[in-house]
């Protein structure tokens, strides 16, 4: 990330959420906690390809995506970004496997591939045995720790 800025404008006010932020993120690194109102959510939205910077360069796996189309960002998000939300974002009426299936968002014609990917994802996080349970039948940790809507496969290094 090089000289990234994000400005939100309304008729009355201009808010600089990020102003010339530059840094590199290494695989497996951890970030410290930051103070309230310093642009963390804006930065994470840009890093997760949910938003684009107003200016600057965002190099995602070596490719500048700062001006990429929403369609292309969606393709990258689906294949290369994983999200962990503070809330669970689960669909109450769907079981665990169905919730994961929603996250993969593959067309119907990929039914067997979709089922295989769902099974692999649940196995990878250790709750394949709960695939037919509804979200309310899981513990808080189980609800929080698996690929759900909005969380695709983990970031690859």
């Amino acid at each position: 990330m090089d000289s990234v800025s994000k400005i939100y404008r309304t008729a009355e006010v201009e808010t600089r959420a990020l102003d010339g932020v530059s840094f590199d993120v290494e695989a497996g690194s951890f970030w410290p906690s930051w103070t309230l109102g310093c642009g963390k959510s804006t930065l994470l939205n840009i890093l997760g390809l949910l938003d684009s910077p107003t200016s600057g360069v965002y190099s995602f796996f070596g490719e500048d995506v700062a001006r990429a189309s929403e369609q292309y960002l969606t393709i990258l998000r689906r294949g290369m970004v994983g999200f962990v939300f503070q809330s669970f974002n689960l669909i109450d009426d769907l079981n665990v496997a169905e919730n994961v299936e929603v996250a993969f968002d593959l067309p119907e014609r990929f039914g067997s591939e979709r089922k295989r990917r769902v099974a692999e994802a649940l196995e990878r996080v250790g709750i394949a045995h709960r695939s037919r349970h509804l979200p309310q039948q899981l513990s808080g940790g189980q609800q929080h720790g698996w690929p759900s809507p909005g969380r695709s496969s983990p970031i690859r290094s």
Side-chain angles (χ1 to χ4, degrees), residues 88 90-99 127 129-144 146:
F88 301 131
L90 305 177
I91 302 169
D92 289 335
D93 296 335
L94 300 181
N95 66 36
V96 169
E98 292 165 337
N99 266 281
I127 63 166
H129 63 289
R130 302 248 188 237
S131 66
R132 299 290 163 225
H133 286 71
L134 295 172
Q136 59 270 27
Q137 295 172 311
L138 302 174
S139 71
Q142 288 170 330
Q143 290 182 36
H144 212 275
W146 54 284

Side-chain angles (χ1 to χ4, degrees), residues 42-54:
T42 299
L43 179 62
L44 290 172
N45 284 338
I46 291 171
L47 290 173
L49 308 174
L50 295 170
D51 200 357
S52 296
T54 304

Side-chain angles (χ1 to χ4, degrees), residues 1 3-9 17-18 41-58 64-74 76-77:
M1 189 165 277
S3 302
V4 166
S5 295
K6 181 64 178 183
I7 301 169
Y8 296 99
R9 291 183 176 96
L18 299 175
S41 294
T42 299
L43 179 62
L44 290 172
N45 284 338
I46 291 171
L47 290 173
L49 308 174
L50 295 170
D51 200 357
S52 296
T54 304
S55 63
V57 174
Y58 175 25
D64 183 11
V65 295
R67 308 290 167 259
S69 71
E70 183 58 38
Q71 183 177 8
Y72 185 62
L73 293 176
T74 299
L76 291 176
R77 257 193 324 272

Side-chain angles (χ1 to χ4, degrees), residues 3 18 22 30 36 41 50 57 78 84 94 103-104 108 118 123 126 133 140 145 148 152:
S3 302
L18 299 175
S22 297
F30 290 91
L36 292 173
S41 294
L50 295 170
V57 174
R78 284 183 180 160
V84 178
L94 300 181
F104 288 133
E108 279 299 315
V118 166
E123 190 64 40
H133 286 71
S148 65
S152 57

